[in-house]
Amino acid sequence: MLPKSALRRQKLAQSIDDALAKDDALFRALRGVPGFWRTSNGRLQVGGNYDYADDFLLIPFIGSNGLIQACQLKAIRKNSRTSPKYSWLSSIRQRDGCGPGTPLHYEGALGFKGKTIETVLVTEGALKAATCQSFLPDRYVVGNSGVATSHQEIVRTARYKALEIAFDADCFANPHVARALASLIASRVREQLFLSCEQPTRILKWDKRFKGIDDALIAGATVHYLDVPEWLKLLTPECFDAASHQLADISPSK
């Protein structure tokens, strides 16, 4: 939990810094860590230097090494219809601070230790990834921070492995999501052609009453596994046009 009070966040940041302190007084353990920065008087702060309207849930994005690489924030109570559901803990343009970028979350780095990876499943966000890893323990699950992000990293993670894509159910009706999903497929197909590899790519489909794969799994809904041509056939005309444009120079069949 990230407190809404700027003073409490400052005390939290200082306590973390103290716990990581080294003998070298010039060493700053939290320098360059997204969200942490130093004010003009040298005090360590995390988040903005002002009070928030509410506390935030901290959602860590785990790297492939199992360490936290960035954190998303989710408001405990949504304060307005226009405020985003998620935001990043960032200290970009602040002294000793930096931005988080758009990292890929590796839930599998926590829940798949010691197992042979045969199938990589990608979904939207760290929370959905955690749910998928719990319900589908034989998959190595990753979560991107948006449907259009981390495509090359996803493709590398799934190299020589089966890839399952579990973006939200609107990937059949939302042109933006369909375009992004097709772009990911195109990157995957190009790499497989280059490597002479034919591992399958599947798109997951479930009852459209459930937007996300997490809600579908929790409700016990049946999940269907589509190949790329099957997915294309189920798209709305606008989505089909958007996806076809991304796939124009390749012929995905699996």
Side-chain angles (χ1 to χ4, degrees):
M1 189 80 69
L2 189 69
K4 63 181 181 180
S5 164
L7 180 59
R8 287 185 61 195
R9 292 198 307 277
Q10 189 175 90
K11 291 180 178 179
L12 173 64
Q14 191 59 56
S15 67
I16 295 173
D17 194 47
D18 290 343
L20 298 173
K22 305 293 184 180
D23 293 335
D24 185 353
L26 297 178
F27 180 81
R28 292 290 182 264
L30 295 172
R31 176 179 290 168
V33 175
F36 290 86
W37 59 286
R38 291 193 178 273
T39 64
S40 57
N41 61 9
R43 292 182 180 275
L44 192 64
Q45 179 62 286
V46 57
N49 201 27
Y50 54 89
D51 289 348
Y52 297 147
D54 199 0
D55 296 331
F56 281 94
L57 177 67
L58 271 175
I59 304 170
F61 267 57
I62 306 300
S64 59
N65 58 3
L67 301 178
I68 297 173
Q69 53 185 337
C71 287
Q72 276 191 333
L73 303 175
K74 182 179 181 182
I76 303 301
R77 292 186 296 272
K78 198 169 182 180
N79 295 300
S80 76
R81 293 181 180 179
T82 58
S83 62
K85 186 176 182 180
Y86 296 96
S87 58
W88 287 106
L89 179 61
S90 174
S91 51
I92 193 169
R93 292 188 291 274
Q94 301 289 359
R95 178 185 173 191
D96 289 347
C98 71
T102 53
L104 183 66
H105 171 72
Y106 290 81
E107 186 67 28
L110 302 177
F112 217 85
K113 293 180 180 178
K115 300 179 183 178
T116 300
I117 302 171
E118 296 182 354
T119 301
V120 172
L121 185 149
V122 58
T123 187
E124 297 180 46
L127 296 181
K128 288 187 177 74
T131 301
C132 286
Q133 193 69 76
S134 177
F135 279 86
L136 304 170
D138 58 335
R139 272 75 164 174
Y140 184 97
V141 181
V142 297
N144 57 358
S145 57
V147 292
T149 65
S150 304
H151 286 187
Q152 293 303 319
E153 193 170 353
I154 293 166
V155 169
R156 286 196 302 271
T157 303
R159 185 173 292 166
Y160 298 117
K161 303 172 183 67
L163 175 62
E164 295 177 350
I165 305 171
F167 289 170
D168 284 353
D170 59 354
C171 70
F172 296 90
N174 184 324
H176 167 70
V177 180
R179 183 182 301 109
L181 199 159
S183 176
L184 173 57
I185 292 171
S187 296
R188 161 82 163 177
V189 171
R190 291 188 187 100
E191 185 189 73
Q192 294 217 107
L193 289 172
F194 179 77
L195 297 174
S196 299
C197 174
E198 295 187 3
Q199 289 292 332
T201 301
R202 299 283 185 261
I203 297 92
L204 276 59
K205 177 182 179 295
W206 52 87
D207 191 320
K208 62 183 179 182
R209 290 178 300 169
F210 307 105
K211 181 181 179 183
I213 181 68
D214 53 343
D215 291 334
L217 291 172
I218 291 170
T222 300
V223 176
H224 302 278
Y225 296 81
L226 310 176
D227 60 26
V228 177
E230 288 172 332
W231 172 66
L232 289 170
K233 289 178 182 178
L234 295 177
L235 299 181
T236 64
E238 188 177 2
C239 287
F240 181 84
D241 289 344
S244 297
H245 180 74
Q246 296 295 323
L247 301 171
D249 61 338
I250 60 174
S251 299
S253 59
K254 295 184 179 181

